[in-house]
Amino acid sequence: MMTELQRFDADFVALTEVTRSNLDDLRWSLNCQGFGYIEATCTGSSSKNSVLAASKFPLTPKVEEIPPADTERWLAVEIPSLALNVLAVHIPASTDKDGKSRKGRLWDEVIRYAQLHRDQRVVLLGDFNTGL
């Protein structure tokens, strides 16, 4: 994967299915490729799939824009020097024990985010699991 990233010569990348077990290796590899600014949603010893954003430009996490559920699958950041907001998501494909669609709820939050930022420069990216 890192060879592919290097080939694209990207300034910003977002990765999904990041876990605590692979986070340190990913950070090291990304730093070696010049990505000096990295944010990830991995917490504690959780093995849940999370999201990581890496940038060659300074970025700021937008913690006030975290949805109420599936917080590890949602990473909103701002790249101030580019006046750009980025939302990286990993939409789940499953339902909760109560039968409600986790996928549907997170999609609703993505749509809400897009509506709130419609007058700004925004990129929405990630693993959208085919939409609804």
Side-chain angles (χ1 to χ4, degrees):
M1 173 182 60
M2 290 303 160
T3 304
E4 288 296 313
L5 289 178
Q6 192 171 27
R7 193 181 100 216
F8 288 119
D9 193 29
D11 293 323
F12 180 93
V13 297
L15 305 175
T16 60
E17 299 191 20
V18 175
T19 63
R20 290 297 302 160
S21 64
N22 64 14
L23 180 60
D24 290 339
D25 289 340
L26 287 171
R27 280 184 188 274
W28 182 84
S29 295
L30 289 164
N31 274 311
C32 288
Q33 291 192 31
F35 292 95
Y37 306 92
I38 299 173
E39 294 292 332
T41 60
C42 298
T43 58
S45 62
S46 174
S47 62
K48 290 183 179 181
N49 284 335
S50 301
V51 180
L52 177 145
S55 176
K56 293 181 180 176
F57 300 98
L59 55 81
T60 306
K62 307 278 285 197
V63 294
E64 72 277 3
E65 297 178 356
I66 295 175
D70 285 314
T71 57
E72 70 281 351
R73 293 174 175 265
W74 175 283
L75 181 57
V77 298
E78 178 184 15
I79 303 174
S81 64
L82 301 176
L84 179 66
N85 290 300
V86 179
L87 175 62
V89 297
H90 181 197
I91 305 282
S94 62
T95 57
D96 286 336
K97 293 176 187 172
D98 64 5
K100 293 181 182 174
S101 169
R102 290 173 61 206
K103 185 178 195 173
R105 281 197 293 262
L106 202 54
W107 262 111
D108 288 345
E109 292 299 321
V110 170
I111 292 166
R112 183 190 61 77
Y113 179 93
Q115 290 170 336
L116 287 173
H117 295 87
R118 70 179 163 259
D119 296 327
Q120 300 171 14
R121 291 169 35 103
V122 175
V123 174
L124 305 174
L125 53 83
D127 183 345
F128 294 102
N129 273 316
T130 71
L132 294 173

